[in-house]
């Protein structure tokens, strides 16, 4: 069995590796070659933590496993990442445990890869301004990944706590993009692509603030009750997602669904766009929205890449059970 540490994952898995792995698994999901098992996610009644399991099987890539972990909101005060997880990979032919892979960095990089896949396939080609709603741990990953998909000329950003924005501004500066902290209305008026990556339970972006032709990647809503955008905005957009079953129950679309504004039939798998069975964006005035709920197969895909690259590079620890 292999053990791949957090530090090793950071060393061997780059943004292009994560993008390719996530795009491939979204394609396999849409083709019926990969499927997620039901998600378990519960408040444990201690430390305000959410804990659970995401798992699945990719028949095309022969990847079987699960991610165990969750969200501990007090971790930042302890110098730790709020999201904590580990990925378990099993041999699909025998069921034997193949690898234990650190999941914290991979969760951030696979989430950023998912939004960047949506930008690559759905955003207007001439998108110039990137809007960031949220400035927490994952925001920097999101910004770096998104910047590789379009020739952005500027980043505008908003966060609940403005004192966190300079750190995101430093990331923008490192990749050569001007950065401006703005109010949400201005962000919506300027941005051609908007990424929301928060833990909000109320809408942060309203329909009337977002201009025609915008692409939104809503990446923070992954639990019942969470919400980042106005349900009317979801209803006005052409909606795509990683997995429709999660989108309608724990994703951003849950609120538009419960309000009767859209139905399951109004949501399209991003894998169908990747596979060419759906055209994706059909006009420059169309608002597109990617509901990134986060599926277990994303974690398994990037963890499998990490295990393979670490083994090839002699950076994985081999142990006997």
């Amino acid at each position: 069995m292999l053990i791949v540490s957090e530090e090793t994952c950071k060393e061997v898995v780059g943004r292009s590796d994560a993008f390719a792995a996530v795009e491939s698994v979204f394609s396999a999901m849409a083709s019926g070659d990969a499927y997620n098992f039901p998600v378990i996610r519960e408040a444990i009644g201690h430390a305000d933590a959410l804990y659970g399991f995401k798992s699945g099987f990719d028949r095309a890539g022969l990847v079987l496993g699960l991610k165990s972990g969750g969200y501990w909101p007090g971790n930042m005060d302890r110098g730790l990442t709020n999201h904590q997880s580990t990925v378990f990979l099993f041999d699909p032919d025998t069921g034997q445990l193949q690898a234990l892979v650190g999941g914290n960095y991979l969760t951030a990089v696979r989430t950023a890869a998912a939004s960047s896949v949506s930008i690559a396939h759905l955003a207007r080609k001439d998108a110039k301004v990137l809007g960031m709603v949220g400035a927490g741990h994952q925001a920097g990953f999101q910004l770096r990944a998104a910047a590789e998909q379009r020739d952005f000329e500027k980043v505008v950003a908003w966060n609940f706590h403005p004192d966190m924005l300079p750190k995101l501004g430093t990331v923008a500066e490192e990749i050569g993009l001007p950065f401006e902290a703005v109010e949400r209305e201005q962000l919506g008026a300027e941005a051609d692509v908007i990424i929301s990556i928060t833990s909000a339970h109320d809408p942060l972006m309203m329909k009337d603030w977002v201009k025609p032709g915008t692409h939104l990647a809503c990446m923070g809503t992954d639990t019942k009750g969470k919400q980042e955008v106005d349900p009317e905005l979801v209803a006005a957009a052409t909606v795509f997602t990683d997995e429709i079953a999660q989108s309608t129950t724990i994703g951003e679309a849950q609120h538009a669904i419960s309000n009767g504004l859209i139905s399951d039939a109004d949501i399209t798998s991003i894998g169908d766009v990747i596979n060419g069975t759906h055209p994706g964006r059909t006009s420059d005035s169309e608002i597109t929205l990617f509901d990134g709920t986060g599926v277990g197969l994303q974690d398994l895909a990037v963890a499998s890449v990490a295990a393979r690259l670490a083994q090839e590079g002699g950076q994985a620890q081999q142990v006997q059970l």
Side-chain angles (χ1 to χ4, degrees):
M1 182 192 75
L2 301 176
I3 297 178
V4 186
S5 70
E6 283 288 338
E7 287 305 312
T8 297
C9 287
K10 293 176 184 178
E11 292 171 5
V12 300
V13 178
R15 286 186 296 276
S16 61
D17 300 307
F19 184 100
V22 168
E23 185 179 50
S24 177
V25 84
F26 283 166
S27 171
M29 287 169 59
S31 299
D33 291 325
Y35 55 98
N36 294 285
F37 305 152
V39 174
I40 296 172
R41 187 171 173 86
E42 300 289 342
I44 65 172
H46 178 74
D48 292 326
L50 290 173
Y51 178 74
F53 303 91
K54 290 184 175 182
S55 56
F57 177 48
D58 180 357
R59 188 181 296 107
L62 290 180
V63 179
L64 173 69
L66 64 89
K67 180 174 84 166
S68 171
Y71 183 76
W72 276 258
N75 273 7
M76 190 173 294
D77 295 335
R78 303 179 181 217
L80 300 171
T81 302
N82 287 351
H83 290 88
Q84 293 289 325
S85 60
T86 303
V87 180
F88 299 72
L89 297 176
F90 300 90
D91 185 335
D93 294 322
T94 67
Q96 288 184 299
L97 182 61
Q98 285 183 320
L100 291 178
V101 184
N104 296 345
Y105 165 76
L106 294 183
T107 296
V109 77
R110 68 80 152 150
T111 306
S115 65
S116 67
V117 166
S118 82
I119 294 168
H121 289 278
L122 297 170
R124 297 193 334 267
K125 300 298 183 185
D126 64 348
K128 297 299 181 186
V129 179
L130 173 62
M132 296 294 304
V133 178
H137 172 70
Q138 290 199 22
F141 292 91
Q142 293 284 335
L143 175 52
R144 291 182 189 278
E148 295 174 346
Q149 304 308 319
R150 292 292 185 269
D151 293 325
F152 292 113
E153 297 176 352
K154 181 182 179 181
V155 178
V156 291
W158 175 89
N159 191 59
F160 271 119
H161 305 288
D163 58 304
M164 296 175 66
L165 287 168
K167 185 176 180 180
L168 190 61
T170 299
V171 175
E173 181 181 355
E174 289 173 355
I175 58 180
L177 289 175
F179 180 88
E180 183 181 359
V182 298
E183 293 303 320
R184 287 172 286 168
E185 295 91 331
Q186 182 179 343
L187 187 151
E190 290 192 30
D192 302 304
V193 172
I194 298 173
I195 298 174
S196 57
I197 183 72
T198 73
S199 56
H201 284 71
D202 295 295
L204 303 176
M205 295 299 298
M206 306 307 291
K207 174 179 177 291
D208 292 343
W209 300 347
V210 174
K211 64 183 181 180
T214 301
H215 173 64
L216 297 100
C218 300
M219 307 305 297
T221 302
D222 59 359
T223 305
K224 189 171 180 62
K226 279 189 174 183
Q227 184 177 14
E228 294 190 299
V229 303
D230 178 12
E232 295 283 352
L233 175 55
V234 177
T238 305
V239 182
F240 302 85
T241 190
D242 40 23
E243 185 174 73
I244 294 173
Q246 287 195 181
S247 175
T248 60
T249 55
I250 63 172
E252 194 62 45
Q254 65 180 284
H255 305 285
I257 291 278
S258 64
N259 290 334
L261 299 175
I262 64 172
S263 69
D264 295 24
D266 297 312
I267 305 172
T268 300
S269 166
I270 187 70
D272 287 333
V273 182
I274 295 167
N275 293 341
T277 57
H278 188 285
R281 172 178 292 276
T282 57
S283 76
D284 285 345
S285 62
E286 182 180 14
I287 295 175
T288 55
L289 184 148
F290 176 66
D291 186 2
T293 66
V295 294
L297 284 169
Q298 290 171 253
D299 300 293
L300 303 185
V302 293
S304 178
V305 171
R308 174 176 56 82
L309 294 176
Q311 186 175 34
E312 291 174 355
Q315 294 165 275
Q317 182 182 357
Q318 184 88 44
V319 300
Q320 296 294 325
L321 290 178

